[in-house]
Amino acid sequence: MFTSSVGKKLVMGLTGLFLITFLVIHAGINACIWANDGGEMFNKAAHFMGSSVVIRILEIGLMAGFLIHIIQGISLEIQNRRKRAIGYAVKLGNRGSKWYSRSMGLLGTLILLFLIIHLSQFWVPNRSHQGWLLGEELNLYDRMESTFKQPWVVLVYVLGCISLFWHLVHGFQSAFRTLGVSNHRYLKMINNTGIGFSLIVSLAFAMMPVSMHFNWI
Amino acid sequence: MEHYTMNLKLKVWKQKNTSSKGSFETFEVKDISSEMSFLEMFDVLNEKLINEGKEPIAFDHDCREGICGMCSMYINGRPHGPWHGTTTCQLHMRAFKDGDTIVVEPWRANAFPVIKDLMVDRGAFDRIIQAGGYISVNTGNAVDGNAIPIEKEKADSSFAAAACIGCGACVAACKNSSAMLFVSAKISHLALLPQGDPERKTRALNMLAQMDTEGFGSCTNTGACEAVCPKEISISYIARANAEFTLAALTSDK
Ligand code: HEM
Ligand code: FES
């Protein structure tokens, strides 16, 4: 089932929606930095996520979700590009579809580059400090403050969030179509929800480094 | 609309056969009537070429009334040219102005090899239909058409899917060369009717498997297919076919 083209898309859709649920949790916890308590609430939440065995096991699932989505996504993109050996002299371009719907591979790759930088700044140092088990954690709030002092980091994060926004504007509704939702009324609702969701999540994430950089918190 | 004539420059893909390497050639046509169809303009050009002792341009066509799905030109970067919901044969020259340059290419997809010039081999579509785009009926007396109750909305939706003429514009427009709009229209057209129900699951599985075998890409829901379809087949049939596939794959042992 999952070796067919529709099955592969199903894997993309399911892992994509799974990653979306992760984004909700991640954004929710990080929003605690705006509690204006010097990071107390945020560090508590982060500590819960880093020290609970259950969550650390779920984290393995998250890793798997990311890896499957990325590997399948890149392989589909490559396979699909190979289906037309000779291209057109005049391209259909935006007359047939939106640029971001045709750029899911590119947008995904930008998100991946962002993820590598992002993980190497927070996740890797913290987990290695913990001895990769359940040891003592770093003060992640302090780490955020010092990391976001550098302007290039803020820029990379904002660009990452912009890529995420466009990836999700198409991806959110596309995933439901892949899963088989064909009811026109629901598709419209899903599309609008997707745009709203992408906007709120990307904006929330982008505002974190920005507000720290400019000392708004 | 006012009648007018025009002189045009045509950049047309010329290719001797499937294995040869093609290239664009430029042709000029004069005094083309705005009331001609696009294919009639090509007839004028071909007659001129024949009179000059040159080889005419090969292109596919049959009914010339927008129902057979044979015509297949990729005109100025769009399958079937600039008009919405129109086949190449129904495109008229009033879509163009005097002095225009028009670029005409064949459908591009590995699954649609060029036979010659603007003609491509769409046998892949036939083989997908052979894989399940039918209902099996044992011979006997013809049943009364109205003996099987069909809900009006389903009949309408089935009919809208059956409007697909299999021209391949969806594949030509898709960045992934995906045939999902075609295949999903054919799956939906039968899945929506009681007559299609007995073979519903095997049909979805077999047609989609054949689609993969033929080398079409996978669908990423960009919507280019729907935008260029001369029969305005809705992309929501793709979602319906996805559901048909998932249900069939999960519940049948094939
Ligand atoms: C937080 C991160 C991410 C989320 C929430 C996410 C979400 C999604 C969603 C919902 C889809 C739509 C699935 C469908 O059409 O059925 C999708 C598709 C896709 N994603 Fe991601 N994605 C993320 C990261 C990535 C990364 C890192 C890559 C890879 C390099 C990537 C590459 C792709 C590709 C190539 C597609 C297929 C395009 C399509 O089907 O239209 N994504 N993603
Ligand atoms: S020639 Fe039959 S549809 Fe155009």
Side-chain angles (χ1 to χ4, degrees):
Chain A
M1 172 172 182
F2 294 110
T3 51
S4 65
S5 67
V6 178
K8 285 180 189 162
K9 280 308 310 293
L10 223 50
V11 172
M12 287 309 288
L14 290 171
T15 51
L17 289 178
F18 171 60
L19 295 179
I20 283 176
T21 61
F22 152 73
L23 286 181
V24 176
I25 297 166
H26 190 20
I29 288 176
N30 283 28
C32 294
I33 61 168
W34 289 312
N36 247 336
D37 55 0
E40 204 187 313
M41 193 201 265
F42 169 75
N43 272 341
K44 264 196 196 136
H47 173 67
F48 171 71
M49 297 304 278
S51 61
S52 148
V53 185
V54 178
I55 299 211
R56 290 291 295 276
I57 291 171
L58 289 177
E59 190 181 61
I60 299 171
L62 176 64
M63 283 292 146
F66 263 112
L67 281 178
I68 295 170
H69 187 82
I70 292 166
I71 293 168
Q72 185 82 277
I74 293 174
S75 105
L76 273 178
E77 177 77 23
I78 292 170
Q79 284 170 15
N80 283 339
R81 277 172 191 243
R82 288 208 184 120
K83 304 291 185 203
R84 180 170 289 138
I86 304 170
Y88 290 111
V90 188
K91 304 228 164 12
L92 181 63
N94 292 334
R95 285 178 285 175
S97 53
K98 302 279 198 300
W99 70 269
Y100 51 85
S101 76
R102 299 192 304 273
S103 315
M104 291 297 276
L106 172 72
L107 292 167
T109 308
L110 292 175
I111 299 173
L112 178 61
L113 293 178
F114 163 78
L115 276 178
I116 294 170
I117 296 172
H118 175 54
L119 289 180
S120 71
Q121 282 169 335
F122 294 98
W123 187 79
V124 175
N126 193 34
R127 289 288 178 269
S128 73
H129 186 77
Q130 287 181 292
W132 299 100
L133 295 168
L134 294 170
E136 183 71 24
E137 288 158 81
L138 296 172
N139 184 331
L140 288 171
Y141 187 81
D142 289 351
R143 205 179 164 82
M144 274 173 102
E145 284 203 309
S146 60
T147 309
F148 295 144
K149 286 235 157 26
Q150 299 144 279
W152 75 267
V153 176
V154 179
L155 186 69
V156 165
Y157 275 64
V158 170
L159 291 177
C161 292
I162 292 172
S163 308
L164 180 68
F165 171 74
W166 290 114
H167 194 77
L168 289 182
V169 168
H170 180 68
F172 193 96
Q173 52 88 36
S174 174
F176 285 94
R177 288 177 181 275
T178 304
L179 296 185
V181 179
S182 61
N183 176 312
H184 284 100
R185 201 158 48 88
Y186 288 145
L187 280 176
K188 199 170 250 169
M189 267 162 58
I190 288 167
N191 193 31
N192 292 335
T193 310
I195 295 171
F197 175 85
S198 315
L199 196 65
I200 292 169
V201 167
S202 312
L203 211 59
F205 275 124
M207 283 319 287
M208 289 164 194
V210 170
S211 55
M212 279 201 161
H213 185 75
F214 294 106
N215 285 321
W216 294 341
I217 44 168
Chain B
M1 201 193 264
E2 193 83 25
H3 174 265
Y4 60 96
T5 61
M6 64 196 98
N7 299 334
L8 300 163
K9 197 192 253 185
L10 296 169
K11 273 182 73 180
V12 181
W13 185 259
K14 290 283 290 172
Q15 183 170 333
K16 205 165 161 3
N17 54 43
T18 306
S19 51
S20 66
K21 223 175 136 264
S23 63
F24 281 103
E25 259 179 57
T26 307
F27 303 90
E28 313 243 338
V29 282
K30 289 200 163 41
D31 296 326
I32 295 298
S33 159
S34 58
E35 299 310 309
M36 269 181 194
S37 77
F38 200 78
L39 295 186
E40 282 165 345
M41 183 270 291
F42 260 77
D43 294 338
V44 170
L45 170 61
N46 273 348
E47 249 167 63
K48 187 180 113 181
L49 290 173
I50 291 167
N51 287 338
E52 290 168 358
K54 293 182 190 144
E55 201 179 335
I57 300 160
F59 63 90
D60 262 326
H61 62 103
D62 188 24
C63 70
R64 297 207 176 196
E65 55 182 16
I67 57 169
C68 75
M70 275 313 281
C71 54
S72 56
M73 292 183 186
Y74 187 89
I75 302 158
N76 282 345
R78 194 177 186 280
H80 294 300
W83 283 355
H84 180 78
T86 308
T87 54
T88 299
C89 59
Q90 292 290 291
L91 174 67
H92 280 68
M93 293 313 293
R94 54 181 177 272
F96 301 93
K97 304 189 304 291
D98 187 34
D100 276 358
T101 299
I102 307 173
V103 183
V104 188
E105 302 171 71
W107 284 178
R108 298 281 190 202
N110 299 357
F112 286 164
V114 172
I115 299 170
K116 187 176 168 59
D117 300 343
L118 301 171
M119 291 171 89
V120 297
D121 180 358
R122 283 167 286 182
F125 272 14
D126 298 334
R127 290 185 291 276
I128 292 172
I129 295 293
Q130 281 163 14
Y134 53 79
I135 57 164
S136 303
V137 180
N138 294 325
T139 50
N141 285 340
V143 264
D144 174 16
N146 290 327
I148 309 166
I150 301 174
E151 197 182 330
K152 173 82 167 86
E153 276 76 24
K154 286 201 178 133
D156 287 349
S157 181
S158 170
F159 194 79
C164 168
I165 52 177
C167 65
C170 43
V171 175
C174 175
K175 86 173 191 34
N176 309 316
S177 308
S178 169
M180 272 304 271
L181 193 64
F182 165 75
V183 180
S184 69
K186 297 303 174 194
I187 289 176
S188 304
H189 146 50
L190 294 172
L192 281 158
L193 297 177
Q195 291 91 337
D197 202 50
E199 289 151 310
R200 189 167 166 179
K201 290 178 184 173
T202 41
R203 175 181 308 113
L205 294 175
N206 290 345
M207 289 182 82
L208 287 166
Q210 189 63 33
M211 175 186 88
D212 290 348
T213 308
E214 297 293 346
F216 293 103
S218 65
C219 167
T220 56
N221 300 310
T222 68
C225 51
E226 179 187 58
V228 304
C229 176
K231 296 294 145 186
E232 302 175 293
I233 306 290
S234 164
I235 191 176
S236 60
Y237 289 113
I238 295 184
R240 178 181 282 282
N242 288 336
E244 292 285 332
F245 169 85
T246 309
L247 196 71
L250 291 176
T251 58
S252 84
D253 278 322
K254 263 210 75 171

